[in-house]
Amino acid sequence: MRVEDFDFDLPLELIAQTPLLDRTSSRLLIADYPKNTYKHESFSSILEELQAGDCLVLNDTKVMPARLMGVKEETGAHIEVLLLTQIEGDHWETLVKPSKRVKIGTEITFGEGLLKAVCTEIKDHGGRIFRFVYSGVFFEVLDQLGEMPLPPYIHEKLQDKNRYQTVYAKEQGSAAAPTAGLHFTDALLDDIRAKGIKIAFVTLHVGLGTFRPVSVDSIDDHEMHAEFYRISQETADTINEVKAAGGKIVAVGTTSTRTLESVATKFDGKLQEDSGWTSIFIYPGYDFLCIDGMITNFHLPKSTLVMLVSALTSRDFILSAYNEAIEQRYRFFSFGDAMFIKGRNY
């Protein structure tokens, strides 16, 4: 299967540049694969689509203010550093612009010396490993100096940085938001619980894979970058019980999906407490072991995310849904509208 098979024409004006004032006022395309239907609603109607006894799974990762603007000590050149993954202690994997100016041993200063970094390694994909030097608590320094790492297709300045954060964000460590979760409010989550729908949390820290385009022709040749995940025994028990009782498991976002499927694959279809690094790559032909449906935003053409959602139904069904969304002028990408996909076994 070729990467070109997941291409589509997207008008640039449909790329959402700013979040809506009300999170739940975004639109929701309900793509029901068993019925072969598409329906247009507002996001708040997700309450009617979920049933008592189902389980909604959310990724509680918290986005770091991971974009740092610094200067190269030797020359004074301006350098942008994007934190991706904490390797160990004060060592972080990063993306750097312009990367050609950063060699092993290069020192960069941020915030007039509040934070310093020394390049210790150059990765095959062009990223850099830095060792950071500071006084106090790293994440407090980062909160003072860093900016929210908005995707490159967003050109408007974010007025409220919390709008690139889910209302349930808890575990700090992501370089990007799990954007399907941006549509939920505390009130909507309370209504979901009140209906008898279980809510469970997993953690997956979004890393380099989000920023990495597919640069090969054949899907089989693409390698996913590993990302850290964690699932508690409480979450595992909840999901196992819901599945055993015949309820549906609905993952919010591709990150929750990848976490659940990684653990289910590891333990023969069951879930249990676990943590580690996953580079699972889900595309058509994959047999889902855990989830039945997914709430997701609309993704970039030819991306691994389009491939993942296609695996839950079929490539033709998803591309038809995308064409439907384009015709109906849905908003795309991180601050855009959402789709509720009911998979083959829903």
Side-chain angles (χ1 to χ4, degrees):
M1 192 170 286
R2 300 180 65 79
V3 174
E4 290 292 335
D5 295 335
F6 297 88
D7 196 12
F8 57 90
D9 293 323
L10 177 66
L12 293 179
E13 66 268 19
L14 295 186
I15 300 175
Q17 293 297 315
T18 55
L20 298 175
L21 186 62
D22 176 10
R23 291 175 184 256
T24 63
S25 66
S26 56
R27 299 168 73 187
L28 180 67
L29 193 159
I30 300 167
D32 190 326
Y33 185 70
K35 294 181 180 178
N36 194 31
T37 60
Y38 305 116
K39 186 168 61 171
H40 304 284
E41 301 285 352
S42 66
F43 190 82
S44 57
S45 68
I46 194 66
L47 185 62
E48 282 69 55
E49 295 298 322
L50 301 171
Q51 304 302 320
D54 291 345
C55 181
L56 194 66
V57 185
L58 309 170
N59 180 8
D60 65 3
T61 188
K62 188 173 185 179
V63 186
M64 304 177 293
R67 179 166 277 118
L68 291 164
M69 309 303 294
V71 294
K72 189 174 175 181
E73 287 202 351
E74 185 179 340
T75 64
H78 291 274
I79 304 291
E80 178 181 330
V81 176
L82 177 64
L83 302 181
L84 292 175
T85 305
Q86 187 174 17
I87 303 299
E88 184 179 3
D90 293 320
H91 287 78
W92 286 77
E93 182 176 355
T94 70
L95 291 179
V96 178
K97 290 195 304 187
S99 59
K100 64 182 180 181
R101 292 186 175 179
V102 179
K103 315 294 184 185
I104 292 178
T106 295
E107 297 184 12
I108 301 173
T109 299
F110 310 92
E112 299 181 346
L114 284 176
L115 183 65
K116 294 186 178 183
V118 180
C119 180
T120 61
E121 184 181 345
I122 298 175
K123 304 294 286 184
D124 291 341
H125 56 72
R128 301 294 192 272
I129 304 295
F130 280 107
R131 176 176 59 84
F132 285 89
V133 180
Y134 54 92
S135 295
V137 179
F138 178 77
F139 285 110
E140 291 180 0
V141 176
L142 185 63
D143 194 53
Q144 183 177 348
L145 299 179
E147 301 174 9
M148 293 302 273
L150 295 180
Y153 49 75
I154 293 178
H155 307 297
E156 297 287 334
K157 187 173 179 62
L158 186 62
Q159 299 302 317
D160 177 7
K161 67 179 182 180
N162 287 325
R163 282 303 274 109
Y164 193 60
Q165 204 83 266
T166 64
V167 297
Y168 47 81
K170 179 183 175 184
E171 302 294 336
Q172 187 152 241
S174 263
T179 54
L182 296 178
H183 304 282
F184 289 90
T185 62
D186 288 326
L188 178 56
L189 291 171
D190 286 343
D191 289 342
I192 288 170
R193 291 187 182 97
K195 189 175 177 178
I197 298 154
K198 302 286 188 181
I199 293 180
F201 293 96
V202 298
T203 302
L204 183 137
H205 293 320
V206 188
L208 181 62
T210 295
F211 300 91
R212 224 179 132 198
V214 180
S215 58
V216 294
D217 294 328
S218 174
I219 289 176
D220 293 333
D221 295 331
H222 180 70
E223 292 185 12
M224 295 286 285
H225 194 83
E227 295 167 314
F228 179 80
Y229 71 88
R230 183 186 300 112
I231 181 172
S232 68
Q233 190 61 51
E234 179 183 5
T235 288
D237 290 343
T238 297
I239 294 172
N240 288 335
E241 289 166 6
V242 168
K243 287 188 72 69
K248 304 300 184 186
I249 307 300
V250 177
V252 177
T254 58
T255 58
S256 297
T257 298
R258 294 179 68 242
T259 302
L260 295 174
E261 293 299 320
S262 295
V263 178
T265 300
K266 189 173 179 180
F267 298 110
D268 297 323
K270 290 287 187 181
L271 299 185
Q272 65 183 59
E273 182 177 5
D274 192 43
S275 65
W277 296 80
T278 181
S279 56
I280 190 172
F281 182 17
I282 297 174
Y283 54 89
Y286 178 84
D287 186 16
F288 284 85
L289 297 175
C290 185
I291 75 162
D292 303 294
M294 186 194 317
I295 297 168
T296 181
N297 281 17
F298 293 92
H299 306 293
L300 281 77
K302 298 192 290 186
S303 65
T304 59
L305 305 180
V306 172
M307 298 170 197
L308 187 155
V309 297
S310 296
L312 191 58
T313 57
S314 73
R315 182 188 72 93
D316 290 345
F317 183 77
I318 291 299
L319 291 183
S320 292
Y322 270 59
N323 287 333
E324 180 93 2
I326 291 168
E327 289 176 6
Q328 297 294 324
R329 310 298 289 177
Y330 274 61
R331 302 165 81 243
F332 272 63
F333 303 165
S334 295
F335 289 139
D337 296 313
M339 179 162 56
F340 178 29
I341 306 170
K342 298 183 180 182
R344 287 188 293 271
N345 298 321
Y346 205 92

